[in-house]
Amino acid sequence: MFAAYVTVTIIASVFNGFAAVTYLIGHEYPKAQADMKRIPRSWVPVLGVLLAAGSLGLLVGFAVPLLGTLAAAGLVLYFVGALIAHLRVGSRQLVGWAVFFSTAVATLALNLGYHL
């Protein structure tokens, strides 16, 4: 159980960390996605900070389990919001979302399973 918890948590942290970097450096992909979902571009850095906080929170969770659990739950909520944003504009491009969401859910489940 511990190996799965550590592996999935690190994978989720890396995925979200890379996504946060693309949001924070001003890459065109997050801007195009914001435009497609009719979200103001001014939100892109905020979303990047949320992803970065989730990514770092997962890693801090190895030392402070409650923070890891909260970070995983926060990422699950973040990606529920992303799904709503996709569906609101009729987007069916959900493969990327599904990867990130399932990783966040798995991290939360393993975190709870390991620490409870």
Side-chain angles (χ1 to χ4, degrees), residues 25-102:
I25 65 171
H27 194 273
E28 280 302 311
Y29 181 76
K31 293 176 186 175
Q33 288 295 305
D35 293 343
M36 186 264 297
K37 295 174 190 122
R38 296 191 301 258
I39 296 171
R41 282 191 174 197
S42 62
W43 288 17
V44 171
V46 174
L47 297 172
V49 168
L50 291 174
L51 287 169
S55 177
L56 292 173
L58 292 177
L59 296 177
V60 170
F62 290 127
V64 184
L66 178 60
L67 290 179
T69 303
L70 293 173
L75 287 170
V76 168
L77 292 174
Y78 177 95
F79 290 111
V80 167
L83 176 63
I84 292 167
H86 273 277
L87 297 178
R88 183 175 58 91
V89 297
S91 171
R92 300 293 184 245
Q93 300 172 0
L94 298 173
V95 173
W97 170 84
V99 170
F100 279 88
F101 180 71
S102 61

